[in-house]
Amino acid sequence: MASRAFLCVSGGNRDRAYAGPSLLYCPRSVSFPKVSSIARKLGLPVPEREYRFDPERRWRFDFSWPDLKVAVEIEGGVWIRGRHVRPVGYLGDLEKYNRAVVLGWRVLRYAPHQLGQLEHDLHALLDASEQTE
């Protein structure tokens, strides 16, 4: 069985997701309904978008629950040598995510086609948090 990835493109005022043979680009506006739906399923509020987590830098999380210090990052451009996989972008991401951990954040990172794993991972993360309280 062949796996399917999603090709997401922005078209004018509308962002649309298409099934396709390769993953190119997926705007966060396409991911937001999926992340919000999963959050509701798990009893969480709708996530904040573009939350600025470090007062000294302009870094932002794609989606977050600041009260829980949990964030979700969607790493686009994996197959087209996008910003997150080129050396300078990759090193910048390392700095950002390490700073987030130092500030007490738990960050889940995905390529757009991996969002199906989010529900399982978020559930496990929340369960682990409850066990340590």
Side-chain angles (χ1 to χ4, degrees):
M1 174 189 234
S3 64
R4 296 190 83 166
F6 288 92
L7 165 64
C8 301
V9 296
S10 178
N13 293 333
R14 295 179 146 172
D15 292 326
R16 300 180 302 264
Y18 297 96
S22 63
L23 175 67
L24 297 180
Y25 174 71
C26 189
R28 281 184 286 280
S29 59
V30 173
S31 304
F32 183 72
K34 181 161 184 87
V35 174
S36 296
S37 173
I38 290 168
R40 281 191 305 273
K41 226 177 181 180
L42 297 175
L44 294 172
V46 172
E48 288 196 35
R49 295 161 97 174
E50 298 294 324
Y51 179 77
R52 189 170 171 184
F53 70 93
D54 185 340
E56 297 174 15
R57 300 289 299 262
R58 292 184 149 183
W59 289 320
R60 299 173 192 275
F61 291 130
D62 294 334
F63 307 107
S64 67
W65 294 270
D67 293 344
L68 301 172
K69 284 203 163 188
V70 171
V72 172
E73 285 283 285
I74 310 299
E75 310 290 1
V78 175
W79 305 109
I80 59 168
R81 290 189 35 81
R83 181 210 167 281
H84 297 287
V85 296
R86 291 190 308 254
V88 172
Y90 182 79
L91 293 172
D93 284 348
L94 292 177
E95 183 181 4
K96 173 183 173 178
Y97 298 134
N98 285 340
R99 179 68 179 155
V101 168
V102 167
L103 294 173
W105 284 86
R106 293 165 295 167
V107 182
L108 299 171
R109 299 173 60 197
Y110 301 94
H113 71 282
Q114 295 176 311
L115 274 177
Q117 184 66 28
L118 175 61
E119 183 175 354
H120 176 269
D121 293 344
L122 198 50
H123 188 271
L125 185 67
L126 295 171
D127 280 352
S129 295
E130 288 175 7
Q131 291 175 7
T132 60
E133 289 177 358

